Amino acid sequence: MVQIFVTGGTFDKKYNYINGELYFKDTHLPQMLDLGRCTLEIDLKTLMMVDSLEMTDADRQIIVHNCRRSAYEKILITHGTDRIVETAKYLAGANIDDKTIVLTGAMVPYAFGTSSDGFFNLGSALAFAQTLPPGVYVVMNGRYFHWNNVQKNKKTGFFEEL
């Protein structure tokens, strides 16, 4: 069983065709799991729908609280990419040592269709959540990174080791 916590980020943004802005409505995760023909047992819970640039430590405390309370040892968190590393660091500092916690996101909203990396990142994150030892990781672009050895390269849009 894998616990999935949704926190928002580009992963779940929709496009307003009238004013051109991105916004949140509902998570795309159930549809993505169905389209991917996922047969894993999943417990999906939306914690919040926020852009990671607006995420606060109070929001991060909600994430920590839910990770601690989860009955499952394998946890995947969808998150905005701009502050995903900050949240990973926060989770690592919370000393949840008996669980594998994987954070992932997308550079392009899933709602944009085939140009989104969200579908690929979700599948990779589910695989890594099941196979990595306990700890906190960021999964992007088909790779996993330890929470303290990753950064988002703002020039290329890819995640890389420090």
Side-chain angles (χ1 to χ4, degrees):
M1 176 74 87
V2 177
Q3 174 78 69
I4 299 179
F5 291 131
V6 174
T7 68
T10 299
F11 214 94
D12 275 318
K13 286 192 173 177
K14 290 184 151 296
Y15 181 70
N16 182 323
Y17 291 99
I18 298 191
N19 65 17
E21 294 179 1
L22 296 174
Y23 68 98
F24 293 110
K25 186 175 179 188
D26 296 315
T27 182
H28 301 294
L29 267 287
Q31 178 186 11
M32 293 173 78
L33 293 166
D34 285 344
L35 286 173
R37 302 185 64 199
C38 181
T39 59
L40 292 172
E41 290 187 48
I42 301 285
D43 183 1
L44 178 67
K45 181 177 181 184
T46 299
L47 301 183
M48 61 197 71
M49 295 290 269
V50 299
D51 186 297
S52 68
L53 290 172
E54 298 171 5
M55 185 170 281
T56 65
D57 282 347
D59 295 325
R60 289 182 182 90
Q61 190 56 46
I62 291 169
I63 297 169
V64 166
H65 173 75
N66 280 276
C67 286
R68 281 193 177 125
R69 285 191 57 220
S70 176
Y72 309 110
E73 296 175 3
K74 309 295 184 183
I75 299 173
L76 187 156
I77 300 168
T78 62
H79 196 287
T81 61
D82 287 312
R83 300 283 166 77
I84 197 169
V85 175
E86 286 179 42
T87 300
K89 180 180 178 181
Y90 196 93
L91 281 159
N95 298 316
I96 307 170
D97 299 327
D98 58 337
K99 298 182 181 187
T100 302
I101 301 173
V102 170
L103 293 93
T104 195
M107 298 298 291
V108 179
Y110 170 75
F112 281 24
T114 57
S115 65
S116 175
D117 55 338
F119 203 56
F120 180 74
N121 290 338
L122 175 62
S124 297
L126 282 169
F128 283 124
Q130 293 177 83
T131 57
L132 289 170
V136 178
Y137 306 90
V138 173
V139 171
M140 292 291 294
N141 316 115
R143 298 179 63 194
Y144 78 89
F145 305 91
H146 291 273
W147 69 270
N148 60 350
N149 191 30
V150 61
Q151 67 181 356
K152 180 180 177 180
N153 183 323
K154 299 203 180 207
K155 291 180 182 174
T156 66
F158 290 100
F159 281 73
E160 59 193 21
E161 292 180 339
L162 297 177

